[in-house]
Amino acid sequence: MKSRKFFALTVPALLGALILSACAQGPSSPQPDSRLKGGPWKNGDAATLSGLYKEFTINDDYTFTAYINPTFMEVVKQANGGTVPTDPTTIATVIPTARGMVDTFLGGGKSDAEINAAIENWTWTVTGKLIIDEGEIYIMDALEETDDKDLNALDPSLGKANAMIGNFNMQKVKLEFTGENTFTFESAENTTAVTDYFGGAYSKQ
């Protein structure tokens, strides 16, 4: 009789403990996709894309360094009627026009090497951190432009890049893998500037 009473008391207690343990653990927290680590991730060939070339390196803790060129993007937008092109055919058509506009800004008659040097000098170095939200959605935080570049090199009166880049903190972005070594990057909140500045189709080199 004593063993039956013990069994009757013990089993419910064990079941209760298991249930409480399961409730305490709750659903597992989302984890970043480890395939993002490393790099450099590139959106294409630097020579072909000119100042539309972008590059990411993502560390083990999901901090990152990105190289982007918003000044040249603004020139390209003017050359393309107000939008940054994404398809290769349009890019190939618009880039020479945009480079011609840069030449005009520089005074005209500049060599390809001089135009390249000017565009390269406009490149921002941006550091930040990717924080997993859920699925393929991440939050960008701790953004900083490290070189104190002008917000727009064609109009220094607009101020500095680092004073603006923090406005993108806590913006949600979608990083969707299209293969083991390829992903697309875009704003998850339809923020055009985020997609223009950081977005694109990236592959690991």
Side-chain angles (χ1 to χ4, degrees):
M1 180 67 69
K2 183 177 180 181
S3 62
R4 289 181 180 178
K5 287 182 179 178
F6 176 79
F7 183 79
L9 290 171
T10 302
V11 171
L14 286 173
L15 288 173
L18 288 171
I19 292 169
L20 287 173
S21 175
C23 291
Q25 290 178 1
S28 59
S29 299
Q31 296 296 315
D33 195 321
S34 61
R35 291 178 293 178
L36 290 169
K37 297 178 183 179
W41 295 94
K42 301 179 180 182
N43 71 329
D45 177 64
T48 302
L49 290 171
S50 195
L52 290 184
Y53 173 77
K54 305 171 193 176
E55 183 178 307
F56 271 87
T57 300
I58 302 175
N59 302 315
D60 286 347
D61 61 355
Y62 298 95
T63 57
F64 66 83
T65 301
Y67 300 97
I68 60 177
N69 196 325
T71 293
F72 189 74
M73 289 178 203
E74 293 301 324
V75 176
V76 169
K77 284 173 72 172
Q78 291 182 44
N80 195 49
T83 60
V84 176
T86 56
D87 66 282
T89 301
T90 305
I91 289 172
T93 301
V94 171
I95 289 291
T97 303
R99 288 175 61 85
M101 293 167 67
V102 173
D103 180 42
T104 299
F105 169 76
L106 296 174
K110 302 299 181 183
S111 67
D112 282 345
E114 289 172 313
I115 294 171
N116 290 340
I119 293 172
E120 176 65 24
N121 190 52
W122 298 342
T123 300
W124 296 6
T125 301
V126 177
T127 57
K129 185 176 180 67
L130 293 171
I131 302 168
I132 186 67
D133 184 42
E134 59 179 351
E136 297 160 336
I137 307 300
Y138 292 78
I139 297 168
M140 292 198 303
D141 197 20
L143 292 169
E144 180 181 4
E145 198 288 308
T146 63
D147 293 332
D148 200 34
K149 292 289 179 71
D150 292 322
L151 177 59
N152 188 318
L154 305 181
D155 187 358
S157 69
L158 294 174
K160 297 296 184 179
N162 196 42
M164 183 281 293
I165 198 71
N167 292 326
F168 294 153
N169 280 337
M170 306 311 291
Q171 282 276 332
K172 292 185 179 182
V173 294
K174 183 178 181 181
L175 280 69
E176 181 179 7
F177 272 89
T178 54
E180 274 303 306
N181 292 306
T182 57
F183 70 81
T184 57
F185 188 122
E186 64 181 353
S187 170
E189 300 178 304
N190 296 317
T191 304
T192 301
V194 170
T195 298
D196 284 350
Y197 287 9
F198 294 98
Y202 289 88
S203 60
K204 185 180 286 188
Q205 304 295 314

